[in-house]
Amino acid sequence: MNMKSERGFSNGAAVIMVLLAFICIFPVLLLFMSSITSEASLLKNGYSVFPEEFGFDAYRYLWMSREKILRAYGMTIAQTSVGTSLSVVVTTLLAYPLSRKDLPGRNVIAFYIFFTMLFSGGMIPSYMMWTQMFHIKDTFFALIFPSLFLSGFAVIMMRTYFSTNIPDNVLEAAKIDGASEVKILLRIVLPMSKPILSTVGLMTALAYWNDWMNGLYYLTKRTDLYTIQNLLNRLITSADFLSNNQANSLLAANIQVPSVGVRMAVAVIAILPILVIYPFFQKGFVKGIVIGGVKG
């Protein structure tokens, strides 16, 4: 390939990347602009990047409900922090033994984990198990354990990383020096596995942060345990919630309830921390996905 062809290929690749970046950024930009568009303009013209009339009633409304928003934010942060930490620990403790070729029954356990990626018992048996056997309904644990606590895909990906990127001779040398399996894991394996740990951690954190189904199914009385996603879902699906809250304080402040714009505003608030945190994990995330997913 000559210099001219290489330059043409680079320019074409740059154009494609710019288009892909625009496709990714445009929905977020549209979401934000819709959140600062007046309710009348939204109802009249729909969503637009260049609104006819700006308005901040959605954020004014959320500010008046700041106690609920802050509580939901706190629950989301707690759910994400605790759930991600426990999930990464359990995933590591399961993936590391599976990466060792001398583990008895290694293939059987790996097949069982892979089987759960293809088939599940369904929503009703899962609900009965968690509510009748483990009694987690209307508790904080309902936000942690069902469906998100352990991912078969994450276990397989982390096991692949361990088996292909941790040299066997290093582990053997540690064994000869008298190191236990726990010490090998903590002192050797984990420091060499930062890319896959950050990858699994970020994937799990995103899943927890965006989760609303566990709260919908398992929180029927404890609305104080609602996360920001559950609150957003409540604002979207319950017209009564908005109408009941506009009767006194909003009418007294001469504020029209922005039933459409408030959805956009809550969504902006919900995704803002992820947009801020993601760039710091991007390098390790990409590296972990490539190494953990390509090699087998």
Side-chain angles (χ1 to χ4, degrees), residues 131-162:
T131 56
Q132 298 180 15
M133 296 180 62
F134 293 97
H135 304 286
I136 66 170
K137 188 175 181 180
D138 289 317
T139 67
F140 177 72
F141 299 105
L143 301 174
I144 303 297
F145 293 115
S147 74
L148 294 175
F149 183 60
L150 185 63
S151 167
F153 173 73
V155 173
I156 297 299
M157 186 169 61
M158 188 175 289
R159 181 206 64 174
T160 303
Y161 185 96
F162 288 157

Side-chain angles (χ1 to χ4, degrees), residues 9-63:
F9 176 80
S10 299
N11 293 336
V15 171
I16 293 175
M17 292 303 296
V18 169
L19 291 175
L20 291 176
F22 176 77
I23 292 174
C24 295
I25 295 174
F26 181 78
V28 180
L29 178 61
L30 182 63
L31 178 68
F32 174 72
M33 296 305 297
S34 299
S35 70
I36 59 174
T37 302
S38 68
E39 187 75 4
S41 180
L42 283 174
L43 295 175
K44 179 182 177 181
N45 304 315
Y47 306 114
S48 174
V49 177
F50 305 101
E52 181 179 297
E53 181 183 1
F54 289 97
F56 298 92
D57 284 346
Y59 289 100
R60 291 172 63 189
Y61 170 78
L62 292 179
W63 176 252

Side-chain angles (χ1 to χ4, degrees), residues 7-278:
R7 184 177 301 175
F9 176 80
S10 299
N11 293 336
V15 171
I16 293 175
M17 292 303 296
V18 169
L19 291 175
L20 291 176
F22 176 77
I23 292 174
C24 295
I25 295 174
F26 181 78
V28 180
L29 178 61
L30 182 63
L31 178 68
F32 174 72
M33 296 305 297
S34 299
S35 70
I36 59 174
T37 302
S38 68
E39 187 75 4
S41 180
L42 283 174
L43 295 175
K44 179 182 177 181
N45 304 315
Y47 306 114
S48 174
V49 177
F50 305 101
E52 181 179 297
E53 181 183 1
F54 289 97
F56 298 92
D57 284 346
Y59 289 100
R60 291 172 63 189
Y61 170 78
L62 292 179
W63 176 252
M64 297 180 67
S65 305
R66 57 186 177 275
E67 292 183 0
K68 294 181 180 180
I69 299 294
L70 290 176
R71 183 171 61 245
Y73 239 135
M75 289 306 306
T76 303
I77 293 173
Q79 175 199 26
T80 303
S81 302
V82 175
T84 301
S85 301
L86 292 176
S87 182
V88 171
V89 170
V90 173
T91 300
T92 303
L93 294 178
L94 183 55
Y96 174 66
L98 289 176
S99 68
R100 304 298 297 269
K101 298 179 181 178
D102 55 349
L103 176 69
R106 174 172 176 259
N107 293 332
V108 176
I109 299 174
F111 173 78
Y112 173 78
I113 295 174
F114 179 73
F115 185 84
T116 62
M117 297 170 58
L118 304 177
F119 304 97
S120 67
M123 188 61 235
I124 295 178
S126 297
Y127 181 84
M128 294 175 62
M129 178 186 73
W130 288 114
T131 56
Q132 298 180 15
M133 296 180 62
F134 293 97
H135 304 286
I136 66 170
K137 188 175 181 180
D138 289 317
T139 67
F140 177 72
F141 299 105
L143 301 174
I144 303 297
F145 293 115
S147 74
L148 294 175
F149 183 60
L150 185 63
S151 167
F153 173 73
V155 173
I156 297 299
M157 186 169 61
M158 188 175 289
R159 181 206 64 174
T160 303
Y161 185 96
F162 288 157
S163 61
T164 57
N165 291 274
I166 309 298
D168 292 335
N169 55 357
V170 175
L171 302 180
E172 292 298 330
K175 273 190 173 183
I176 294 174
D177 291 338
S180 64
E181 290 292 345
V182 175
K183 192 172 184 178
I184 292 174
L185 175 62
L186 297 178
R187 297 290 183 87
I188 298 176
V189 176
L190 294 185
M192 298 176 64
S193 305
K194 292 180 181 178
I196 193 64
L197 292 176
S198 61
T199 299
V200 172
L202 182 59
M203 292 173 58
T204 306
L206 286 173
Y208 271 113
W209 188 273
N210 293 320
D211 174 65
W212 58 274
M213 293 185 64
N214 286 338
L216 178 66
Y217 294 150
Y218 299 103
L219 299 180
T220 57
K221 299 178 181 178
R222 296 290 304 277
T223 57
D224 59 304
L225 294 177
Y226 272 5
T227 63
I228 196 70
Q229 305 298 342
N230 294 129
L231 184 61
L232 172 61
N233 183 64
R234 184 176 181 178
L235 291 174
I236 293 175
T237 58
S238 178
D240 292 338
F241 178 79
L242 289 176
S243 61
N244 291 336
N245 280 272
Q246 72 175 334
N248 297 318
S249 58
L250 291 180
L251 289 180
N254 196 26
I255 299 175
Q256 179 185 4
V257 176
S259 58
V260 178
V262 75
R263 305 174 188 178
M264 305 296 107
V266 174
V268 170
I269 294 174
I271 67 173
L272 185 60
I274 300 300
L275 295 178
V276 174
I277 294 174
Y278 179 78

Side-chain angles (χ1 to χ4, degrees), residues 161 194-199 202 277-291:
Y161 185 96
K194 292 180 181 178
I196 193 64
L197 292 176
S198 61
T199 299
L202 182 59
I277 294 174
Y278 179 78
F280 297 98
F281 292 87
Q282 183 178 7
K283 184 177 180 180
F285 178 76
V286 174
K287 184 177 180 181
I289 284 288
V290 173
I291 297 178

